[in-house]
Amino acid sequence: MKEKSETTKKFEKRLQATGNEKYVLRLYVTGMTSKSINAIENIRKICEENLQGRYELEIIDIYQQPEYAKKEQILAAPTLIKKLPLPLRKFIGDMSNEEKILIGLDLVPKEKKK
Amino acid sequence: MSTNKKPAAGTEQVFPKCKSGIRGLDEITFGGIPKGRPTLIAGGAGSGKTLMSMEFLVRGATDYNEPGVFMAFEETAEELAKNVASLGFDLEALIAQKKFLVDYVRVERSEIEETGEYDLEGLFVRLNHAIDSIGAKRVVLDTIESLFAGLGNEAILRAELRRLFRWLKDKGVTAIITAERGEKSLTRYGLEEYVSDCVILLDHRVQNQISTRRMRVVKYRGSVHGTNEYPFLIDEKGISIMPITSLTLNYEISNKRISSGIPRLDTMLEGKGFYQGSTILISGTAGTGKTSISASFAAATCQRNQRCLYFAFEESPNQIMRNMKSIGIDLEPCVKKGLLKFHAVRSTFYGLETHLVQMQKLIDDFKPDSVIVDPITNLINAGDQNDVKSMLTRLIDYLKAKQITTIFTNLTHLASLETTETEVSSIMDTWILLRDIELGGERNRGIYILKSRGMAHSNQIREFLITSKGVDIIDVYTGPAGVLTGSARLTQENKDKAAEDSRKEETEKLQRDLERQRKLVQAQVEALQAEFTAKEEEVKQKIAQEKRLEKTSSENREEMGRMRKEDKQ
């Protein structure tokens, strides 16, 4: 019983923390293709609108740094990886589906979607 | 082998091939898989796709100095290294030498969110980077189909795969792509549509509770290839495919003759015995002495200081040795000297192919001068007849190519005495038949040579005896009373002897009579002669007396005249 209450406490703490966590995002692109450009523009827009001031977005061209592709298990391009907060999550595509990204980034509660 | 170089060389100009290094595969494909192009290996779960592709890379790296990249979609590098360590492949060492590289691509659908258009450029970058970093010439993608499970957009995936295979061709690497076997098509996702230069199908079938791996080259664009299904085996040395075509009928033959270990049997074979490197089939019903002849041959081989390998599928080595000792063939010293080696295993223990490979391996290791397979009949249990025949053909070809004299024993039933159950008699050089001859309430063993290629062998049925001093072959009784063996032969022989004796006595008596007669006549002749001589003497005396008388009377007359002073004219 004691344990249960402790987990509840942790859960509540976490719940309070949401909304002000720092996001670490990495976008892997392959050169300046239209898909890459679209993805960069789209993710910048999403971040500015939803995570202003508390995100860190790094854009990496795996043509230039191919060793990242293996390290980060990149398969498709473009790929966005949410490093923090955990859990790690991957998004592939040109980031045009804003809703999916927001859900994936835990920025929109699933009920609100409706 | 040497003969297969020809077609390979002939096609080399038009179609460059890449030696896979996998035992047997290069013979079937006449030189290897298409160089600089992708090859598809399709097969069900556990059919050996990963191992075959892995061996392709490892052989490339170790034997042909062609570094390789293994892109794994299913297993991590550590798992792979562990799995193939059992085949004797040291991936860690190859990786350290920069001859090998594993890139594990993790595709987890739950982790990936699709948010618009994408391509698989990430995979291309990885592959390109991996290839360039070690200068790879060979690439394996195992199993790229996992992408279909990991990514939802099949349209993109198919377009990208088409691009990937094109790209691999442009890159000039020899690639193997593995794919899961599909129910209707060759592969589950129809990959054969994209990789169509060479398609190899692997199969793992269980027949009569014995599993056999098989492979078939379904398609090889622009090249001839063996079209059959070939059994293959995965053992501690990797994959071995045993193509029947890899051995041809042009092995060297020997004129040397070797003894069978039974002097009288040698006599039946032109007095010289078997040809070295020939195959001998001994068939007969149960208990006719097949193993005894085999053991005699084994002992004879060891006596010549040669090596003999004995495959026993029915009895344990100790049992064979004990039993043979009881008939005066002591094999134990041969084993101790290392000249005789037993390999006893139940025939149902492995599938046929495993047997074949096992036997080949033992033969390679032990390098025997003669081999005994006792009996081949038991191998039928390990597969169906066609398989057994093709396996034995391959084994015989292999042995002949190595100039190894081989004895196969075959258990037959009375009804089918002159047919071997495995139909292998046509590929045997010498066929010795042992049979029971039932006569006068007892069974005796008969032996005869049904055929023996290249020699004027005896056509006689001989009686085959197993005594405490070894096996012996003696003439059967053939005479007016028919062909007899065993005690009937002895009785008849005694009877004949008695008859002959009495005949002899008769003749002697006649001779004696004649002699007597002759002596009698001679005596008579002598008596007459004596009589005649006596008479002659008498007559001669008389004549002399007469002469004397005549002389006296004439003298008297002259005296008288003188006295009378007779005048003379």
Side-chain angles (χ1 to χ4, degrees):
Chain A
M1 290 306 245
K2 205 182 167 188
E3 275 175 39
K4 219 178 190 178
S5 62
E6 239 169 59
T7 40
T8 321
K9 268 183 200 167
K10 264 190 187 166
F11 178 72
E12 279 165 357
K13 213 176 170 184
R14 264 310 272 272
L15 207 64
Q16 278 179 345
T18 42
N20 43 36
E21 279 162 312
K22 192 165 171 153
Y23 274 76
V24 176
L25 302 173
R26 285 219 180 115
L27 182 66
Y28 295 91
V29 294
T30 48
M32 282 296 120
T33 61
S34 60
K35 275 190 269 248
S36 306
I37 293 164
N38 283 347
I40 295 168
E41 276 175 5
N42 286 336
I43 195 67
R44 279 217 172 114
K45 193 170 147 258
I46 292 166
C47 289
E48 275 306 308
E49 282 171 7
N50 299 283
L51 294 165
Q52 210 184 8
R54 56 185 181 103
Y55 77 93
E56 188 185 292
L57 178 66
E58 196 181 343
I59 294 160
I60 295 158
D61 184 358
I62 50 172
Y63 280 166
Q64 309 291 326
Q65 287 159 293
E67 61 280 0
Y68 274 101
K70 186 177 177 181
K71 215 160 69 190
E72 297 287 354
Q73 282 292 350
I74 308 295
L75 190 66
T79 297
L80 176 76
I81 296 180
K82 183 191 75 163
K83 290 244 157 195
L84 282 173
L86 292 170
L88 191 126
R89 195 153 268 161
K90 276 183 191 169
F91 304 85
I92 58 171
D94 58 7
M95 309 295 143
S96 56
N97 193 333
E98 196 182 328
E99 216 170 79
K100 251 190 175 171
I101 296 171
L102 289 177
I103 295 167
L105 291 177
D106 285 327
L107 290 173
V108 182
K110 275 177 187 171
E111 305 114 64
K112 260 192 189 171
K113 198 182 144 199
K114 285 174 189 174
Chain B
M1 326 249 162
S2 64
T3 49
N4 287 325
K5 272 181 189 157
K6 259 189 190 167
T11 48
E12 204 119 54
Q13 301 117 12
V14 267
F15 207 104
K17 291 184 179 185
C18 172
K19 277 212 180 301
S20 66
I22 296 168
R23 276 185 289 175
L25 183 63
D26 296 335
E27 272 104 57
I28 296 167
T29 52
F30 295 112
I33 59 173
K35 197 182 185 84
R37 295 167 190 233
T39 293
L40 182 70
I41 296 183
S47 59
K49 302 186 291 292
T50 304
L51 287 180
M52 187 173 270
S53 47
M54 183 60 91
E55 185 165 354
F56 164 70
L57 290 188
V58 172
R59 298 275 174 237
T62 52
D63 300 351
Y64 301 102
N65 199 24
E66 291 190 358
V69 168
F70 194 95
M71 198 156 226
F73 292 85
E74 285 178 337
E75 292 166 285
T76 63
E78 290 75 37
E79 282 167 344
L80 275 171
K82 252 182 230 161
N83 293 351
V84 298
S86 61
L87 304 184
F89 301 154
D90 190 357
L91 290 192
E92 314 265 325
L94 287 172
I95 291 168
Q97 291 166 36
K98 297 229 171 239
K99 281 181 165 178
F100 193 81
L101 206 146
V102 182
D103 186 0
Y104 168 56
V105 179
R106 199 163 61 118
V107 194
E108 196 68 61
R109 193 162 196 164
S110 60
E111 280 181 5
I112 297 171
E113 202 77 64
E114 286 177 36
T115 65
E117 255 186 65
Y118 60 91
D119 54 36
L120 293 183
E121 199 57 31
L123 188 69
F124 283 69
V125 169
R126 282 169 81 164
L127 199 49
N128 194 37
H129 181 63
I131 292 169
D132 290 348
S133 64
I134 57 165
K137 297 271 186 299
R138 298 176 179 213
V139 168
V140 168
L141 302 174
D142 179 56
T143 306
I144 201 154
E145 281 175 326
S146 310
L147 292 179
F148 284 94
L151 300 171
N153 195 330
E154 208 173 291
I156 290 182
L157 212 50
R158 285 191 180 277
E160 287 296 288
L161 284 182
R162 194 182 290 273
R163 193 161 70 90
L164 177 67
F165 298 142
R166 184 77 248 159
W167 180 83
L168 283 170
K169 264 190 195 179
D170 293 344
K171 191 88 187 156
V173 290
T174 308
I176 285 184
I177 288 113
T178 65
E180 200 72 24
R181 183 84 203 263
E183 260 167 42
K184 278 180 193 150
S185 57
L186 221 48
T187 58
R188 194 175 289 166
Y189 294 95
L191 284 183
E192 65 271 21
E193 223 179 286
Y194 313 117
V195 192
S196 44
D197 290 311
C198 181
V199 179
I200 294 169
L201 199 64
L202 303 184
D203 187 22
H204 195 184
R205 249 175 283 168
V206 177
Q207 228 167 26
N208 300 328
Q209 296 151 34
I210 290 162
S211 78
T212 312
R213 295 171 192 278
R214 284 159 220 264
M215 68 141 295
R216 182 162 69 96
V217 179
V218 181
K219 172 174 180 180
Y220 198 146
R221 201 176 264 174
S223 166
V224 283
H225 60 87
T227 50
N228 298 343
E229 260 193 336
Y230 302 100
F232 74 94
L233 186 95
I234 299 172
D235 64 3
E236 58 263 47
K237 278 185 184 166
I239 287 174
S240 320
I241 305 163
M242 232 64 53
I244 207 161
T245 47
S246 77
L247 295 158
T248 42
L249 282 170
N250 58 1
Y251 28 72
E252 279 187 24
I253 52 128
S254 169
N255 282 326
K256 219 182 134 194
R257 303 286 278 266
I258 50 170
S259 167
S260 63
I262 304 163
R264 193 57 213 272
L265 185 58
D266 293 344
T267 316
M268 289 173 80
L269 299 158
E270 276 186 340
K272 296 172 195 165
F274 304 125
Y275 277 112
Q276 185 180 310
S278 65
T279 42
I280 300 117
L281 177 69
I282 301 175
S283 61
T285 48
T288 41
K290 298 182 290 295
T291 304
S292 308
I293 291 187
S294 307
S296 302
F297 180 66
T301 305
C302 297
Q303 256 169 28
R304 285 192 296 272
N305 237 350
Q306 293 180 324
R307 288 158 172 269
C308 179
L309 187 56
Y310 198 120
F311 292 101
F313 292 120
E314 227 161 38
E315 294 175 89
S316 74
N318 288 335
Q319 193 179 327
I320 293 175
M321 281 194 281
R322 182 202 68 193
N323 294 352
M324 290 306 119
K325 209 169 184 172
S326 79
I327 61 163
I329 304 168
D330 196 357
L331 296 174
E332 229 176 300
C334 307
V335 174
K336 277 190 184 141
K337 264 192 202 148
L339 290 171
L340 177 65
K341 189 175 175 172
F342 280 99
H343 178 73
V345 67
R346 282 270 171 227
S347 53
T348 44
F349 194 63
Y350 314 120
L352 271 179
E353 283 68 32
T354 320
H355 274 301
L356 181 62
V357 175
Q358 190 87 31
M359 286 163 100
Q360 286 198 353
K361 218 161 71 185
L362 276 164
I363 290 163
D364 277 344
D365 292 346
F366 191 63
K367 296 187 181 21
D369 298 279
S370 60
V371 166
I372 292 162
V373 182
D374 183 27
I376 51 168
T377 338
N378 268 26
L379 288 173
I380 299 168
N381 300 336
D384 67 44
Q385 280 209 14
N386 284 338
D387 289 349
V388 176
K389 185 172 182 183
S390 80
M391 176 205 144
L392 284 173
T393 312
R394 278 180 275 151
L395 180 65
I396 288 166
D397 280 343
Y398 181 76
L399 290 164
K400 283 201 155 185
K402 288 202 173 294
Q403 288 272 307
I404 297 169
T405 318
T406 315
I407 287 189
F408 295 92
T409 69
N410 181 41
L411 179 71
T412 50
H413 303 290
L414 262 182
S416 58
L417 198 61
E418 291 198 4
T419 54
T420 43
E421 271 176 67
T422 39
E423 306 294 338
V424 288
S425 55
S426 59
I427 46 179
M428 299 288 177
D429 296 319
T430 301
W431 188 2
I432 297 170
L433 220 64
L434 296 169
R435 61 175 303 175
D436 282 323
I437 299 169
E438 207 168 310
L439 200 77
E442 63 174 22
R443 297 186 92 152
N444 293 298
R445 299 178 182 92
I447 183 170
Y448 59 101
I449 297 164
L450 204 77
K451 74 165 184 188
S452 192
R453 286 174 181 152
M455 62 180 88
H457 61 87
S458 163
N459 65 347
Q460 297 293 301
I461 297 179
R462 298 281 179 235
E463 192 176 343
F464 176 64
L465 292 179
I466 297 179
T467 65
S468 59
K469 283 173 193 150
V471 288
D472 198 9
I473 295 170
I474 53 168
D475 294 349
V476 292
Y477 174 81
T478 46
V483 175
L484 299 172
T485 56
S487 51
R489 169 178 52 81
L490 280 176
T491 319
Q492 190 63 36
E493 274 172 3
N494 286 340
K495 227 186 253 175
D496 283 1
K497 197 160 183 284
E500 201 180 319
D501 284 353
S502 69
R503 263 203 322 276
K504 226 185 223 167
E505 271 166 34
E506 188 81 8
T507 323
E508 272 168 16
K509 187 168 167 270
L510 281 172
Q511 250 166 359
R512 277 199 304 278
D513 282 357
L514 189 70
E515 188 67 16
R516 236 185 349 260
Q517 199 91 28
R518 202 164 59 90
K519 275 185 182 156
L520 203 67
V521 170
Q522 212 155 12
Q524 278 174 342
V525 168
E526 269 167 22
L528 282 172
Q529 191 97 36
E531 204 176 327
F532 174 75
T533 318
K535 224 163 205 159
E536 195 182 29
E537 199 70 15
E538 198 179 334
V539 172
K540 274 183 182 164
Q541 258 174 9
K542 270 198 173 153
I543 290 170
Q545 208 169 8
E546 195 66 27
K547 274 184 179 166
R548 251 192 331 269
L549 275 176
E550 207 172 316
K551 197 183 170 186
T552 330
S553 65
S554 78
E555 275 171 2
N556 285 347
R557 253 195 322 266
E558 274 175 31
E559 191 67 22
M560 196 105 75
R562 247 185 337 259
M563 295 221 336
R564 281 183 186 185
K565 307 225 200 288
E566 187 190 41
D567 53 328
K568 255 189 176 178
Q569 292 161 335

